[in-house]
Amino acid sequence: MNTPDLRQESPWNAELMLPRVTDNPKLLELQILLGGLQLVLSRVHPAFAASRFIATRQLAQRLTRGIETLNPHKAHMGSVDLQNALAETEKALDPGSLMVLRKLLTQSLKDEHDEVDIGHADFTYSDFMAEEQMLAHRQVAH
């Protein structure tokens, strides 16, 4: 039985317990950041990590979910998650992981700002004039 699911290679290297390197640039960023966060977490006692690196551990779990599903959007990282992890690990992260974390944070802030702007419509002069005309027509009709 040789189904496509069985032939698909796992996103994890079982021997190294690390994600496999991919040519997908978005997944590669997640892999770089996850590797850096896991390295920081591996340097501290588990009890200390559980109490002082809560945001970092949660972010690592989200990154893992995104890598395992091969879909970076399933990592569900918000700017708050990234900011909290950055505050916890900024001085301990390697330069490459720190660069990726800052890039993802900047992108996340931009995306969240754009989402807010989509819900906000600018009121233009033409909108004002159209509303005035509608009100004038309603008053004439009554």
Side-chain angles (χ1 to χ4, degrees):
M1 185 163 112
N2 198 9
T3 64
D5 291 336
L6 293 177
R7 284 183 287 169
Q8 184 179 10
E9 194 170 327
S10 168
W12 294 99
N13 181 326
E15 291 177 30
L16 300 175
M17 298 297 290
L18 294 171
R20 291 190 187 279
V21 176
T22 180
D23 58 355
N24 180 332
K26 287 291 185 185
L27 281 177
L28 184 60
E29 286 180 343
L30 297 186
Q31 291 173 336
I32 291 169
L33 181 54
L34 179 60
L37 295 178
Q38 292 289 38
L39 184 60
V40 170
L41 292 172
S42 73
R43 292 178 185 158
V44 297
H45 190 275
F48 188 71
S51 64
R52 301 288 174 116
F53 289 90
I54 296 168
T56 303
R57 290 178 55 224
Q58 290 173 345
L59 181 58
Q61 291 170 350
R62 291 176 181 192
L63 292 168
T64 300
R65 182 175 38 243
I67 292 169
E68 285 178 344
T69 60
L70 300 175
N71 183 350
H73 298 291
K74 295 222 175 169
H76 300 293
M77 300 175 294
S79 63
V80 173
D81 304 314
L82 296 166
Q83 286 173 334
N84 291 339
L86 179 62
E88 290 176 352
T89 62
E90 186 170 21
K91 294 181 181 178
L93 273 176
D94 62 281
S97 299
L98 187 58
M99 184 174 63
V100 169
L101 179 55
R102 286 183 176 149
K103 178 184 179 215
L104 290 173
L105 175 58
T106 302
Q107 185 63 45
S108 179
L109 287 169
K110 181 184 176 299
D111 292 346
E112 289 171 7
H113 183 268
D114 290 346
E115 285 177 15
V116 169
D117 284 348
I118 289 172
H120 176 266
D122 290 332
F123 193 73
T124 63
Y125 181 72
S126 344
D127 295 331
F128 174 75
M129 293 305 296
E131 187 174 335
E132 288 293 315
Q133 288 176 351
M134 283 177 32
L135 289 174
H137 287 295
R138 283 188 195 161
Q139 289 176 354
V140 172
H142 290 287

